[in-house]
Amino acid sequence: MPDPYFVLVSTAELADLASALDVVDDHAELNHRYRKLIADSRQVLAADEIRLTQARGLAKRLMVLAKAAGPDFRDGLPEAARAALDAGLAQADALVFHPEPD
């Protein structure tokens, strides 16, 4: 596998991750530090392309934010928001734990 630091990823391919961040931002009761993580993540996603290492960092942030939202967060979401969160977390899982072979 090529060095992930030099591999670029289109942010358009990270739409599920971005949507899940929006769900957490819109529905979770988070403190200002977690809100800062969301704002920083949106700033990174504003670029056309980011490094694979940055995409993995965003994925990890989403995992942290979903956990910080609480154990019952997912269950209290409307169906569309729950589906967006699940899709984003699935993409985050794939980025962090299942890197693509070269």
Side-chain angles (χ1 to χ4, degrees), residues 1 5 12-13 15 17 20 25 30 33 35 58 71 78 81 87-88 93-94 99:
M1 180 169 159
Y5 190 81
E13 294 176 25
L17 198 83
D25 191 25
L30 300 170
R33 289 185 179 119
R35 298 277 175 208
L58 291 173
D93 184 77

Side-chain angles (χ1 to χ4, degrees), residues 9-24 42 45 55 58-59 62-63 80-95:
V9 176
S10 168
T11 52
E13 294 176 25
L14 303 174
D16 289 340
L17 198 83
S19 294
L21 283 169
D22 291 340
V23 168
V24 173
R42 285 188 173 143
L45 287 167
L58 291 173
L62 175 60
M63 292 173 174
R82 188 177 315 137
L85 179 66
D86 290 345
L89 288 172
Q91 186 173 41
D93 184 77
L95 281 166

Side-chain angles (χ1 to χ4, degrees), residues 6-85:
F6 296 107
V7 175
L8 294 179
V9 176
S10 168
T11 52
E13 294 176 25
L14 303 174
D16 289 340
L17 198 83
S19 294
L21 283 169
D22 291 340
V23 168
V24 173
D25 191 25
D26 293 343
H27 297 282
E29 293 183 29
L30 300 170
N31 67 31
H32 68 282
R33 289 185 179 119
Y34 290 121
R35 298 277 175 208
K36 175 88 167 98
L37 284 177
I38 294 170
D40 291 347
S41 298
R42 285 188 173 143
Q43 189 174 16
V44 171
L45 287 167
D48 291 332
E49 291 183 325
I50 59 175
R51 292 185 316 271
L52 180 57
T53 54
Q54 288 176 295
R56 288 179 179 162
L58 291 173
K60 290 176 184 179
R61 283 184 190 178
L62 175 60
M63 292 173 174
V64 166
L65 290 164
K67 188 168 186 162
D72 299 327
F73 173 67
R74 184 186 175 282
D75 297 334
L77 292 173
E79 185 60 36
R82 188 177 315 137
L85 179 66

